Amino acid sequence: MTYKYFNNSTMDIDFKDMLDNLMNFTCSRLNIENPPAIFFDSDENNANELLGKTGFYDPESQEVHVYVDNRHPKDIMRSITHELVHNSKNEQGELNKGGYQGVGYAQKNPHLRRMETQANNPMLFRDWEDNYKLQQESKMEMSLKDWRLQELQKKLMKKFKINQIPKKTKKEEKNES
């Protein structure tokens, strides 16, 4: 699946392959049918606030906005995962079920509190991270296997005094023509 990323910041988002992997995993796990566009936003005033925003999901535009100033890429991806849970709840029709939605909504609205608890589940991101690392390890093991096979072939060729693949004779070349 193709995902839309918009970088509205000065941060170099040089981990798009990893983001795609995260999006594939999370959208699959959460059964997201319409992945939101992801916006990387800059807000220096927000970045300087100890309790500044890390991101938000806009259900009307179906966009995830993540503030990236002074943040580690892993933390940014964790915020994206959190906001994707809100996107999933929106697709399920759970996001706007009645009740208070203003400041302190997680304290005043039991339904939204449950959704915030689900969105703050650290295991969703951790499951993706562990899965990603296992995939990378598997790729490295395959490379190591290929290297070992190549080394074994070299040693066998040397042991049996085979310097190169035998060249075709002129007669063999003629027969191929």
Side-chain angles (χ1 to χ4, degrees), residues 83-130:
E83 301 306 335
L84 287 172
V85 173
H86 294 313
N87 180 84
S88 171
K89 294 299 178 183
N90 187 44
E91 285 188 352
Q92 296 167 15
E94 293 289 319
L95 195 60
N96 291 320
K97 282 192 173 175
Y100 180 75
Q101 295 186 10
V103 175
Y105 66 88
Q107 308 306 315
K108 298 175 183 177
N109 182 329
H111 176 70
L112 293 180
R113 183 175 181 85
R114 280 190 299 279
M115 287 199 321
E116 272 305 307
T117 300
Q118 293 167 343
N120 283 310
N121 178 352
M123 293 312 295
L124 179 60
F125 184 80
R126 179 61 185 263
D127 288 349
W128 167 77
E129 182 180 359
D130 288 349

Side-chain angles (χ1 to χ4, degrees), residues 43-54 69-71:
D43 183 337
E44 287 185 34
N45 292 331
N46 181 64
N48 291 326
E49 289 183 36
L50 183 61
L51 298 177
K53 294 178 182 178
T54 55
D69 296 328
N70 305 323
R71 292 181 70 193

